Amino acid sequence: MTKTITKEKAITDLLNSTYKSLKSVVPINHEIAKPELLETSLKVQFGVLIGITGDVVGKLVLSGDKSVFGSIGETMYGMALDGEILASFSGELGNMIAGGLSTNIVDKGINIDITSPTIMQGDATLSGYQTALHVPVEFENVGQKDIYLLLD
Amino acid sequence: MATVLITDDAAFMRMQLKDNLTKLGYEVVGEAENGRDAVEQFQELKPDLVTMDITMPEMNGEEALKEIKQLNSNAKIIMCSAMGQQSMVLDAIQAGANDFIVKPFTPERIEEAVKKVL
């Protein structure tokens, strides 16, 4: 971290800004569970990873069943998505949530930039971060998606 | 019919923009996956309007905006990004962008921006 931002403040601001972004991007009622520390490496079957650079360095990962991403896409754009277009939408969903996060967190005095999304399909294992938080999010009538915040 | 070049690294977003613009009566003449591709297609296709994502691999949208403006200072460019920080919007407008749309967008916001610019 290039500024004097404590890890606790960075985590709080990142999480709150992510929740606010999620609410504005995804038009589905959802419940956000309490964040928990991830003690093991992160395994992802399907998901999207966005790098965070600037005052705070880390990664935002969204993972979940393909059908959950598909249902969110259908709600947002009124069309069923599958195959390559579903993967592309999932990347864009991550981009929109991370983009909203980067916009919201400026109000907390933190400036970050984001990378293009990386889409993960198959058995991906992520490790090498200092701190990892897992936040389960339950979307009404759709299913669960998991948000992971990995800080370097 | 006004012609448009769409720039976005996500195929899904290019599809959405193309659908919206076509329904509004515009002709999408090209689709670019990154800034470098957009600059090349701009020179070749000479579109009336370019939509430009910002976060893209190879060359980002801010660099592509500046290169296109150097090629043609009258080029009409609408930025279309998930990032909406005030500083980013101001930088883009100062570099010559005609408008800035924050994703996710509505068809109405696209129509408003395009009608204002063309």
Side-chain angles (χ1 to χ4, degrees), chain B residues 68-108:
Chain B
I68 290 174
K69 279 288 178 180
Q70 277 187 347
L71 291 167
N72 180 355
S73 59
N74 293 319
K76 307 285 189 217
I77 303 174
I78 296 175
M79 308 307 280
C80 193
S81 170
M83 300 177 75
Q85 290 97 316
Q86 198 176 19
S87 59
M88 189 166 271
V89 177
L90 286 174
D91 286 350
I93 299 294
Q94 276 172 359
N98 297 85
D99 203 345
F100 196 112
I101 296 173
V102 179
K103 300 174 190 170
F105 50 74
T106 61
E108 292 76 23

Side-chain angles (χ1 to χ4, degrees), chain A:
Chain A
M1 291 172 209
T2 53
K3 281 187 191 169
T4 50
I5 300 167
T6 64
K7 184 164 268 186
E8 290 73 21
K9 174 172 164 51
I11 288 171
T12 304
D13 291 345
L14 281 166
L15 286 176
N16 287 336
S17 298
T18 302
Y19 300 161
K20 190 175 169 188
S21 177
L22 191 65
K23 194 171 182 182
S24 69
V25 170
V26 182
I28 301 174
N29 288 333
H30 55 269
E31 277 197 25
I32 298 169
K34 195 177 166 207
E36 52 198 41
L37 269 175
L38 185 70
E39 307 281 2
T40 59
S41 56
L42 168 57
K43 295 189 190 309
V44 177
Q45 283 289 327
F46 184 81
V48 53
L49 178 150
I50 289 112
I52 298 170
T53 59
D55 293 342
V56 181
V57 179
K59 295 166 192 73
L60 180 74
V61 175
L62 305 179
S63 79
D65 197 271
K66 275 185 181 181
S67 66
V68 176
F69 281 91
S71 296
I72 290 173
E74 191 164 357
T75 304
M76 288 177 73
Y77 293 97
M79 55 195 277
L81 306 170
D82 59 16
E84 283 302 305
I85 285 294
L86 174 58
S88 179
F89 163 75
S90 303
E92 197 54 32
L93 179 65
N95 183 41
M96 289 189 281
I97 291 169
L101 152 65
S102 71
T103 305
N104 297 335
I105 206 165
V106 170
D107 292 342
K108 306 291 182 189
I110 298 176
N111 288 293
I112 57 170
D113 201 349
I114 58 169
T115 65
S116 298
T118 299
I119 294 150
M120 296 174 288
Q121 301 188 66
D123 291 311
T125 302
L126 301 174
S127 57
Y129 34 79
Q130 276 192 359
T131 307
L133 287 164
H134 171 211
V135 186
V137 181
E138 183 69 31
F139 289 92
E140 191 176 86
N141 300 324
V142 170
Q144 182 174 314
K145 190 186 282 290
D146 296 290
I147 296 175
Y148 297 92
L149 188 60
L150 314 178
L151 292 179
D152 293 352

Side-chain angles (χ1 to χ4, degrees), chain B residues 9 16 19 22 24 31 33 37 41 43 54 61-63 66 68 94 96-97 102 116:
Chain B
D9 57 332
Q16 279 298 318
D19 183 52
T22 304
L24 289 170
E31 294 182 32
E33 292 182 14
D37 196 12
Q41 289 201 44
Q43 290 173 281
I54 291 184
E62 287 170 304
E63 292 172 66
K66 287 172 186 165
I68 290 174
Q94 276 172 359
V102 179
K116 187 179 86 178

